[in-house]
Amino acid sequence: MWFAVTLVVLAVGFRQAIFLVPTEATMGNVQRIFYYHLPSAILGMVFPYINCVASLAFLYWRRRDPWKALGADALAVASAEMTVVFVTIGLLTGSLWAKPAWGIWWAWDARTTTYLVLWLLFVSYLIARRFSGANDQGHTLAAVISIFAAIDVPISFMSIRWWRTQHPSPVFGGDGSLDASFYPAVWWNLAGWALWGFLVMGLRYALERRRQRVQEEAALEAIEASMETTQ
Amino acid sequence: MTLHSFFSLANSSYPHNLFYAYSAVWILQGGYLAWIARNWVRSGRRHD
């Protein structure tokens, strides 16, 4: 049901973005990249907070309540992967838009650099988990990285307000205000990709929980087998 | 905007960038969902 609603909202968003909202006067049709760039860029700053809360819960429960800690850990990895997907899309679509709009693929300004750092932190997070296997220390290290990543998010978000950047100022409010005729494409796509993000994160969470149960059962079977051989 | 100009913005220096951007979004999001589905099926077999 959620999947069907998500696809309908995304279809409406696509129709709004490509066919219905007026063409932007300066940049022309290439500006329509914005309707996919903005939702991904925003959601790439939302999922790190889910990851941070889940990581803090993991750190709190890992000695007190291991079963709850595993649940928090599953949510942490699901939200971290979702972050990497959204931030990657934010960087890619931003670059594809930057070339026709600015004449350059990339600018080392405060927004793009802090956003790239966010991507690097979450890739480091996933690498730390991947190469530690089921090792608790690796997951603890990853949880600490996630706290650093959460600190980078508000810096990246505020960078276009704090510093002069190549990246435009906020489009809602301020000097760079977006005309109201463009709003439908923005809101439909933001809603659609948010629904998609939470749905996919939920599916990834369920997958991780299943993997944890399989691993637990295998460990119990191994203990039982070793007890049988010693008897 | 017409569907034709979605694939090629004839008057732009980068005629396919809009198409590339939208394609990249669907390939990455769809690919990640497909990876989850594949692992779900695999872990189900292991679970049985």
Side-chain angles (χ1 to χ4, degrees):
Chain A
M1 179 64 184
W2 190 334
F3 190 63
V5 171
T6 302
L7 287 182
V8 168
V9 175
L10 284 172
V12 174
F14 181 83
R15 186 164 170 265
Q16 285 284 346
I18 299 299
F19 301 113
L20 297 184
V21 295
T23 305
E24 203 271 337
T26 320
M27 284 177 277
N29 281 323
V30 80
Q31 179 270 345
R32 292 174 199 272
I33 291 174
F34 169 74
Y35 306 119
Y36 266 30
H37 171 73
L38 182 86
S40 299
I42 289 177
L43 291 165
M45 292 187 184
V46 170
F47 284 93
Y49 282 108
I50 299 171
N51 177 260
C52 182
V53 171
S55 297
L56 288 170
F58 169 77
L59 291 173
Y60 179 75
W61 278 325
R62 78 194 166 103
R63 298 268 180 255
R64 294 175 178 87
D65 189 338
W67 185 244
K68 280 185 182 172
L70 280 174
D73 195 47
L75 181 62
V77 72
S79 54
E81 287 180 4
M82 211 60 249
T83 302
V84 170
V85 172
F86 276 121
V87 174
T88 303
I89 289 170
L91 290 169
L92 269 177
T93 53
S95 189
L96 284 165
W97 187 19
K99 185 63 181 171
W102 302 341
I104 44 174
W105 293 102
W106 180 260
W108 290 103
D109 74 5
R111 164 55 69 83
T112 54
T113 307
T114 51
Y115 208 63
L116 180 65
V117 167
L118 184 66
W119 184 83
L120 289 170
L121 283 166
F122 272 97
V123 169
S124 313
Y125 173 94
L126 293 176
I127 290 172
R129 291 182 63 99
R130 180 83 178 87
F131 289 100
S132 67
N135 182 351
D136 182 61
Q137 275 189 333
H139 289 211
T140 307
L141 171 69
V144 174
I145 293 174
S146 112
I147 296 164
F148 285 115
I151 294 168
D152 183 54
V153 173
I155 297 171
S156 185
F157 181 77
M158 293 304 291
S159 59
I160 52 175
R161 293 163 179 82
W162 288 342
W163 299 293
R164 188 186 293 269
T165 56
Q166 176 82 34
H167 189 282
S169 304
V171 288
F172 298 105
D175 295 337
S177 285
L178 194 71
D179 189 81
S181 59
F182 297 113
Y183 284 0
V186 173
W187 298 130
W188 280 102
N189 280 301
L190 187 57
W193 287 113
L195 285 169
W196 175 279
F198 282 101
L199 171 72
V200 174
M201 185 184 71
L203 295 173
R204 178 66 181 91
Y205 171 78
L207 173 66
E208 186 63 15
R209 292 297 275 169
R210 179 187 263 199
R211 194 196 60 75
Q212 289 171 348
R213 274 194 293 274
V214 168
Q215 204 168 36
E216 205 168 78
E217 281 167 18
L220 283 171
E221 278 170 19
I223 292 167
E224 278 170 16
S226 69
M227 283 171 78
E228 278 170 17
T229 48
T230 50
Q231 278 170 2
Chain B
M1 184 181 169
T2 63
L3 193 60
H4 174 74
S5 57
F6 172 62
F7 292 102
S8 175
L9 306 175
N11 56 350
S12 164
S13 313
Y14 297 90
H16 305 302
N17 278 25
L18 179 61
F19 175 65
Y20 291 156
Y22 277 54
S23 303
V25 173
W26 281 104
I27 288 168
L28 280 167
Q29 295 283 12
Y32 180 50
L33 183 61
W35 177 84
I36 292 171
R38 194 191 70 158
N39 280 285
W40 181 266
V41 172
R42 276 186 178 183
S43 68
R45 276 193 210 124
R46 219 173 297 148
H47 196 59
D48 299 336

